[in-house]
Amino acid sequence: MGLLENRFNDNVIVEKLDKLLSWGRSTSPWFFQFGTACCAIEMMAAAASRHDLMRIGMIPRSSPRQADVMIVAGTVTMKMALRVKKLYEQMADPKYVVAMGSCATSGGPYWQHGYHVLKGVDIVIPVDVYVPGCPPRPEALIEGLLKLQEQILDERPLTRKMA
Amino acid sequence: MSTDQDKLITELVEKGLTGDMEPINSIEDRVLRSKAKAALAKAKRAAKSQETAEPKKKKSEEKSSDDLPSSVNLNEKIVYMINEKFSGSLANENTETHIQLKSDQWFEIATWLKSEPSLSFDSLQCQTGIDVGDNTLEARYNFHSMKHNHYTEIRIAVPRKEATIPSVEQIWRIADWFERETYDMLGIEFSGHRDLRRILLPDDWEGWPLRKDYLVQETYHGIVVPKMKEGWE
């Protein structure tokens, strides 16, 4: 999108194209399949047949280059923080991050005395949606992902941003 | 054929037992000769075991664990044997729950613990460490013998400043990662370990987290480590 992104003045055609683009993006946010701790189990349950993330267009991808959404599912240790950052940087634009569970949002049970845990993944990468819970149930994760879809739907990819 | 051969072999074995090895050695047929020799060895072994089963007097002249009354527990027996073999390596004589050793002869003692037939601790179940305070670190080893189904615990205390213990990684391979973890958390150097690196924390981490005087480093690759989101409480 680099060439066309935020290049056009607002008018009817651009608005309609914007809507088409953001609708396309929001209905197929493929997510990056990796987990750092126990929240990953709930993420797997959400992706499996009972909750079935695929009905909202989310397909797990094993490569950061094919993924649009990174679900940080679980405790991010200091050792992992550098790797999470690297993986985020490898994703292609547009990219979104969902911080799933207490650990990824704030450090969780380790937030005061855990010397080895990152106190919230938003310290190293920008987060779009926070899903609280320890771990959150698949319904909660799906709620968060629907919020993310709403957020994507409101975007205007082509329109020039007002200064 | 076989009955003839058997007869021949028994004859030869009888001669061999009296000390006359000539007839066996002069057999031309290799197979027959080796069969005869095997039969002779078997007969000798049987004779020996009969001998040892009857009188047990000769053995008790040497000092061994057999003199100990049968009521002593395993730790007391091990302490007694260590005192015999490796004098001066016991840190104290307390045997109630564990055996406290000094670090200098640990590798030899560990080798012996595994090879001694009456102990044969073939399984190191756990190796861990603890900061016991007073500037002392302690490494603990839990052993189990599959053969005798008995357990024991060995503890080795070292001062914090020169925390070095001989590694038993080459005796029990499982100690490889156990010792790496103890090194990672407490900074006990295991001398002789072939691959002593941190196992859980990143290689460039500073300090030993499970020591009582550990202070968390401020930043790690530019990321602030201690909690910084004030106002959440």
Side-chain angles (χ1 to χ4, degrees):
Chain A
M1 287 301 293
L3 283 177
L4 302 176
E5 196 140 24
N6 302 332
R7 289 274 174 137
F8 301 94
N9 288 326
D10 200 2
N11 62 45
V12 177
I13 302 165
V14 171
E15 197 217 336
K16 290 294 171 198
L17 275 173
D18 262 348
K19 279 201 168 164
L20 180 70
L21 273 174
S22 55
W23 171 81
R25 284 177 180 183
S26 74
T27 46
S28 62
W30 292 359
F31 68 100
F32 185 17
Q33 184 188 30
F34 84 106
T36 46
C38 34
C39 279
I41 305 294
E42 296 296 311
M43 184 184 73
M44 285 181 240
S49 50
R50 180 174 289 254
H51 297 282
D52 198 13
L53 277 186
M54 212 174 297
R55 72 202 152 94
I56 56 171
M58 300 200 68
I59 304 172
R61 306 304 297 181
S62 306
S63 159
R65 310 200 187 266
Q66 298 171 351
D68 306 299
V69 179
M70 176 189 253
I71 302 178
V72 183
T75 318
V76 182
T77 58
M78 285 294 167
K79 200 176 182 178
M80 193 65 190
L82 305 176
R83 288 149 177 84
V84 167
K85 192 160 182 250
K86 192 175 275 179
L87 287 171
Y88 176 75
E89 283 160 0
Q90 284 175 352
M91 285 164 67
D93 273 328
K95 51 192 174 186
Y96 308 93
V97 176
V98 176
M100 179 183 180
S102 306
C103 298
T105 54
S106 70
Y110 315 98
W111 79 290
Q112 191 154 19
H113 298 298
Y115 59 90
H116 60 301
V117 172
L118 191 66
K119 313 292 184 291
V121 76
D122 51 1
I123 296 172
V124 287
I125 53 176
V127 175
D128 294 280
V129 175
Y130 297 88
V131 181
C134 188
R137 279 193 54 83
E139 292 93 321
L141 178 63
I142 290 167
E143 170 80 22
L145 295 171
L146 290 173
K147 279 272 180 289
L148 179 70
Q149 288 190 335
E150 279 172 28
Q151 202 174 309
I152 299 171
L153 209 54
D154 285 343
E155 272 178 13
R156 303 288 299 272
L158 298 177
T159 314
R160 182 169 290 154
K161 295 243 163 31
M162 291 298 175
Chain B
M1 171 208 145
S2 63
T3 48
D4 281 355
Q5 219 177 37
D6 286 345
K7 261 189 185 172
L8 185 60
I9 287 174
T10 44
E11 247 171 56
L12 290 169
V13 166
E14 271 168 21
K15 277 185 185 169
L17 281 176
T18 60
D20 185 12
M21 288 293 282
E22 279 280 304
I24 293 184
N25 286 333
S26 60
I27 300 172
E28 296 263 313
D29 183 17
R30 263 172 113 193
V31 179
L32 189 61
R33 188 167 68 221
S34 54
K35 269 186 182 170
K37 277 192 174 171
L40 179 62
K42 203 177 170 187
K44 275 186 178 170
R45 212 181 305 136
K48 215 176 195 182
S49 68
Q50 258 187 358
E51 235 173 61
T52 49
E54 283 163 14
K56 236 186 174 182
K57 269 191 176 173
K58 266 196 178 173
K59 242 194 168 179
S60 61
E61 276 171 25
E62 308 168 39
K63 267 203 164 181
S64 79
S65 57
D66 295 349
D67 327 330
L68 291 172
S70 57
S71 62
V72 297
N73 66 24
L74 179 68
N75 280 357
E76 282 169 23
K77 185 179 149 193
I78 297 170
V79 163
Y80 180 84
M81 290 162 91
I82 286 177
N83 259 337
E84 287 292 310
K85 275 186 93 81
F86 309 93
S87 57
S89 58
L90 278 174
N92 62 49
E93 297 274 334
N94 190 6
T95 58
E96 210 167 297
T97 55
H98 61 273
I99 297 165
Q100 192 91 36
L101 292 181
K102 289 175 188 164
S103 65
D104 10 334
Q105 274 184 296
W106 170 230
F107 186 81
E108 289 77 22
I109 296 175
T111 317
W112 169 78
L113 279 177
K114 192 178 182 183
S115 59
E116 164 67 32
S118 68
L119 301 174
S120 69
F121 286 112
D122 46 13
S123 152
L124 173 62
Q125 298 208 308
C126 184
Q127 195 281 318
T128 185
I130 192 167
D131 186 343
V132 290
D134 297 331
N135 280 320
T136 309
L137 304 173
E138 203 171 69
R140 300 183 171 180
Y141 302 78
N142 291 86
F143 292 110
H144 174 238
S145 166
M146 303 264 183
K147 194 171 154 200
H148 303 295
N149 195 19
H150 58 208
Y151 301 83
T152 193
E153 179 176 339
I154 304 253
R155 297 184 185 176
I156 297 170
V158 282
R160 204 183 262 168
K161 273 187 183 162
E162 35 188 298
T164 311
I165 294 175
S167 168
V168 294
E169 174 251 343
Q170 309 211 14
I171 306 171
W172 294 277
R173 284 294 284 130
I174 187 74
D176 185 353
W177 282 15
F178 279 152
E179 287 182 346
R180 275 178 68 186
E181 192 191 346
T182 312
Y183 166 74
D184 194 358
M185 290 294 144
L186 291 153
I188 298 176
E189 298 269 348
F190 289 94
S191 57
H193 194 291
R194 285 174 290 189
D195 184 29
L196 195 63
R197 290 177 290 131
R198 285 186 183 274
I199 191 169
L200 297 167
L201 287 166
D203 286 339
D204 51 356
W205 195 259
E206 294 159 21
W208 315 106
L210 289 192
R211 289 193 182 186
K212 300 281 187 224
D213 61 350
Y214 175 65
L215 291 175
V216 185
Q217 65 193 65
E218 282 296 308
T219 57
Y220 175 69
H221 287 263
I223 306 165
V224 179
V225 178
K227 114 186 132 152
M228 50 190 260
K229 287 179 182 168
E230 295 296 338
W232 281 48
E233 287 143 293

